[in-house]
Amino acid sequence: MTRFAHNGRIRIAFEDLGGAGGDPLLLVMGLGTSRFWWPDGLVGELVRRRFHVVAYDQRDAGQSTRLPDRCLGSPLSALLRRAAPAYSAEDLTDDAVAVLDALGWERAHLFGYSMGGLVAQRTAIRHPKRVHTLTTSSAVPSDVKGLSVLRYLRLTPLARFARLHHPETPQGNLALAVAVARILASPGQHIDEHDVREFVQKETANQVASFRDQKAQSRQIGATWHGGPLARIAAPTLVLHGERDPLLRVAAARDIRAAVPGARLRTLPGVGHFLARDVWATYANELRALADRADEQPPTVAHG
């Protein structure tokens, strides 16, 4: 059932996915993508490992508040240009904390994927007392700025995204989801309707569709970060990255690990940028191990 948290005038949609009584775990999804893209199979693995799992829609995605249009151009141009942003990256972290407040969670484990990893990193910097552990997956370092981000991006997938055009119909939404997943999958990985049908069906039932609103994506990616560097993260941190990620180079994960005190890096051979079923158990095991280590060790003192 969809519930809503509030950050000022912004409504943030979230959903309890199960595991009540387990360790609080908040899932943060990526650019322009609704919470319905967290696979049921992955959530089930997390619940079986004693997590109480909640996912939310970032502003400008899913069932959360959409902001007025701004002239930011395409998502890539919004990333590179210095146009006035629609909101700040700090606002995105405050949205996550608004969900924690609505749940009555004093702190939680955070698992951010792709741009969600960026938001999770920044939440750990801005709200250190609210983050028990941080897992950032398939993401760039949160303190990288402007053109510097290009050293992590592979441009061919971005060009392929720009060429996607599918009718705004149920079948068109399914075809779009398959096309996006194929771009994000590791080279040679077979992706078909079966891999994305559950996401699209949930979105259809809730009258949303991911990847349709480029202006919203531009507002998300154009949000400017004024906060501190990764070195300020005090939460025990795990960095995950697929070694065959077609969108982001593994150097992004290595640089996060190098910047965050005590962070652990796990790269996965053959894995791309899509949350395919062959990584679900591995990811869940890694999050459980991180949570257990955090309970056994004194807090890390960050620097910077």
Side-chain angles (χ1 to χ4, degrees), residues 144-175:
V144 66
K145 294 182 179 180
L147 293 174
S148 297
V149 76
L150 290 178
R151 68 177 179 265
Y152 301 120
L153 288 173
R154 301 183 192 276
L155 298 182
T156 299
L158 299 179
R160 292 177 65 192
F161 282 130
R163 293 195 296 268
L164 294 179
H165 298 288
H166 295 274
E168 295 190 22
T169 63
Q171 190 58 37
N173 289 339
L174 181 58

Side-chain angles (χ1 to χ4, degrees), residues 132-146:
H132 193 175
T133 68
L134 165 66
T135 299
T136 174
S137 179
S138 309
V140 299
S142 65
D143 49 6
V144 66
K145 294 182 179 180

Side-chain angles (χ1 to χ4, degrees), residues 232-256:
R232 292 186 183 173
I233 292 178
T237 298
L238 170 66
V239 185
L240 299 171
H241 205 100
E243 293 180 6
R244 300 293 305 279
D245 189 325
L247 182 62
L248 296 178
R249 302 179 192 280
V250 180
R254 294 189 180 118
D255 286 354
I256 296 170

Side-chain angles (χ1 to χ4, degrees), residues 153-222:
L153 288 173
R154 301 183 192 276
L155 298 182
T156 299
L158 299 179
R160 292 177 65 192
F161 282 130
R163 293 195 296 268
L164 294 179
H165 298 288
H166 295 274
E168 295 190 22
T169 63
Q171 190 58 37
N173 289 339
L174 181 58
L176 175 60
V178 172
V180 168
R182 285 175 174 167
I183 293 172
L184 297 177
S186 61
Q189 180 182 4
H190 177 71
I191 297 289
D192 59 24
E193 292 184 1
H194 174 75
D195 296 289
V196 299
R197 188 178 295 277
E198 72 169 83
F199 313 143
V200 177
Q201 288 177 338
K202 289 180 187 177
E203 289 193 327
T204 299
N206 289 275
Q207 299 182 316
V208 299
S210 293
F211 318 117
R212 288 292 186 186
D213 191 343
Q214 283 211 346
K215 292 181 180 179
Q217 293 178 44
S218 295
R219 291 191 294 272
Q220 284 185 338
I221 207 167

